[in-house]
Amino acid sequence: MAPSFDNGSSLFNFVVRDGNGVKGMVDSGISKVPEAYIQPPVEQIDKKNASKCEMPPIDLSRLVGPDHDKVAKEIVRAAETLGFFQVVNHGVPVDLLESLKDTAHNFFGLPAERKAVYRTESSPTPLVKYGTSFVPAKEKALEWKDYISMVYTNDAEVLQHWPIECREVALEYLKTSLDMVKKLLEVLMENLGVKLDDSKIDSLIGNKTVNMNYYPTCPNPELTVGVGRHSDMGTLTVLLQDGIGGLYVKVPDDADIDKKGEWVEIPPVPGALVINVGDMLQILSNGKYKSAEHRVRTTSTKSRVSIPIFTIPKPTEKIAPLPQLVEKDGIARYKEFVLADYMNNFFGNPHDGKKSLDFARI
Ligand code: OGA
Ligand code: NI
């Protein structure tokens, strides 16, 4: 039986503790957004005033051949300004992208008991975590989102521990994306005058996680957020979004592009993947590449899915601006730290724009 959602603690128990998620709450038939999900006015997303990001997707097949330098420049420019871009001809089969979206819908359509097995408190494996919102216990307003998070260690463990309903497609997605991620990192590093060997590139993405996000329909989308303002923690994120839209990026106030300070929508492009710079790449590049502040709107008409791959260095890794850049720039803009400490800070606090980077500031 669904509880009264006007009572904050019974809502929390039903949605968070018992693993019914936002989906369970919506399926129980609510007609308005419960108090616990109403964002303060400054965080609410006004759809009417937002414009679309006009940047065309970058064709990665042209990295090989006579257009290499031109395409590399497009990638660099996007990473230096918005921290977001889209790519096509990325090497991930387009029919796999379709299967991934279907798989995500199927997974979240499973009975709550099946998904709730993977709640942190009870998960049979540390590799898989199912949850809702970001840090529900600490958030003033909850995010309108359920997710499953799957950490990659090796193929054998993945095939044993990731949920049977999604392990094969998710693993295939990860594997077919990694060459692209490495290529992008090579291009970005080369532009900084830094040549990293394969093992160093591998160490920047030593920890790989595939998430499936599910944003149920919302009766009052203007009051809620799917995900609040944040930057991603890692090196590069690859994101598959479906056709619904609602992913917004903030154009930095000091960017050398139009619409400074505005939120622009990254429009769904069939067959494309979204790439964004995370905090670690901003730090390693000594601030040259910008981790992007982004957020997600909810909709009243259709549930939305997205499937990000987060690439992050290993938790034991020491992170600091690359020494070649510090020498060139004459200053280190961030201090050295151990990644695990950054992660604890990041995952221990509610989303708050790019505040996560303060942890590394000198
Ligand atoms: C995320 C995220 C965006 C989206 O999971 O970190 O920003 O479109 N997702 O779902
Ligand atoms: Ni994100």
Side-chain angles (χ1 to χ4, degrees):
M1 239 291 277
S4 149
F5 295 123
D6 293 333
N7 172 324
S9 80
S10 75
L11 174 138
F12 193 91
N13 289 343
F14 179 83
V15 174
V16 181
R17 194 196 61 190
D18 301 338
N20 290 290
V22 181
K23 179 160 195 311
M25 179 175 73
V26 170
D27 288 350
S28 78
I30 51 166
S31 57
K32 62 179 184 27
V33 169
E35 193 72 31
Y37 286 91
I38 299 181
Q39 293 290 329
V42 288
E43 301 296 342
Q44 294 174 4
I45 303 177
D46 185 354
K47 189 178 171 183
K48 287 188 282 305
N49 290 341
S51 59
K52 285 205 167 46
C53 173
E54 313 283 357
M55 217 191 305
I58 299 174
D59 180 350
L60 291 185
S61 66
R62 295 168 61 224
L63 262 182
V64 181
D67 292 340
H68 174 275
D69 291 0
K70 185 162 171 283
V71 177
K73 254 195 204 123
E74 289 172 18
I75 295 167
V76 164
R77 171 129 179 97
E80 285 173 345
T81 53
L82 196 58
F84 253 83
F85 52 100
Q86 304 208 57
V87 294
V88 290
N89 294 323
H90 36 58
V92 184
V94 170
D95 57 352
L96 179 62
L97 303 182
E98 292 309 310
S99 315
L100 277 159
K101 289 180 270 184
D102 292 344
T103 302
H105 277 286
N106 290 340
F107 181 81
F108 288 96
L110 293 169
E113 311 82 81
R114 169 72 190 121
K115 295 178 280 185
V117 165
Y118 295 105
R119 284 172 51 254
T120 314
E121 296 74 10
S122 60
S123 183
T125 163
L127 304 189
V128 183
K129 181 183 169 192
Y130 161 80
T132 186
S133 199
F134 185 60
V135 263
K138 290 192 183 173
E139 284 157 343
K140 291 204 187 87
L142 297 170
E143 298 178 340
W144 198 265
K145 161 189 146 169
D146 301 329
Y147 68 90
I148 183 144
S149 183
M150 298 171 279
V151 176
Y152 179 85
T153 47
N154 58 61
D155 289 11
E157 283 190 2
V158 160
L159 292 173
Q160 188 180 353
H161 295 297
W162 285 13
I164 190 157
E165 296 86 354
C166 41
R167 59 176 62 143
E168 273 171 27
V169 272
L171 180 58
E172 189 62 19
Y173 173 47
L174 177 62
K175 291 196 153 181
T176 50
S177 296
L178 281 180
D179 276 350
M180 163 187 54
V181 171
K182 287 184 205 174
K183 230 180 278 164
L184 292 172
L185 282 173
E186 275 163 28
V187 166
L188 290 169
M189 290 301 164
E190 205 173 288
N191 169 68
L192 299 174
V194 180
K195 180 88 190 108
L196 298 180
D197 59 27
D198 288 352
S199 73
K200 182 68 189 165
I201 293 271
D202 283 338
S203 78
L204 300 181
I205 58 169
N207 181 335
K208 299 166 264 291
T209 302
V210 182
N211 273 30
M212 290 189 172
N213 297 324
Y214 186 82
Y215 305 93
T217 54
C218 177
N220 312 93
E222 65 289 349
L223 301 179
T224 58
V225 298
V227 187
R229 297 178 298 110
H230 72 285
S231 52
D232 292 348
M233 201 212 79
T235 306
L236 283 177
T237 302
V238 178
L239 178 102
L240 169 64
Q241 66 168 335
D242 65 16
I244 299 204
L247 171 60
Y248 292 87
V249 183
K250 186 162 187 197
V251 183
D253 293 319
D254 56 357
D256 175 25
I257 45 174
D258 284 351
K259 302 183 182 170
K260 289 179 197 37
E262 284 179 40
W263 288 94
V264 295
E265 183 167 13
I266 302 293
V269 174
L273 288 166
V274 178
I275 308 291
N276 68 284
V277 173
D279 290 353
M280 289 313 114
L281 187 52
Q282 175 163 335
I283 292 166
L284 289 160
S285 70
N286 207 22
K288 187 97 169 136
Y289 298 132
K290 305 291 190 284
S291 76
E293 182 171 354
H294 55 287
R295 63 184 183 184
V296 174
R297 169 173 49 85
T298 59
T299 52
S300 57
T301 47
K302 264 188 173 169
S303 53
R304 174 177 185 268
V305 293
S306 72
I307 302 134
I309 298 173
F310 300 106
T311 65
I312 313 178
K314 285 235 159 66
T316 49
E317 199 91 21
K318 275 194 187 146
I319 307 293
L322 294 165
Q324 300 93 320
L325 297 179
V326 174
E327 196 178 321
K328 204 159 67 181
D329 297 345
I331 179 181
R333 298 202 168 83
Y334 304 96
K335 65 177 185 189
E336 185 181 89
F337 54 87
V338 176
L339 186 79
D341 295 332
Y342 196 97
M343 287 178 86
N344 287 338
N345 182 63
F346 188 91
F347 291 105
N349 290 295
H351 284 144
D352 189 7
K354 291 187 67 170
K355 196 152 174 253
S356 47
L357 273 161
D358 289 351
F359 184 86
R361 261 184 248 284
I362 289 179

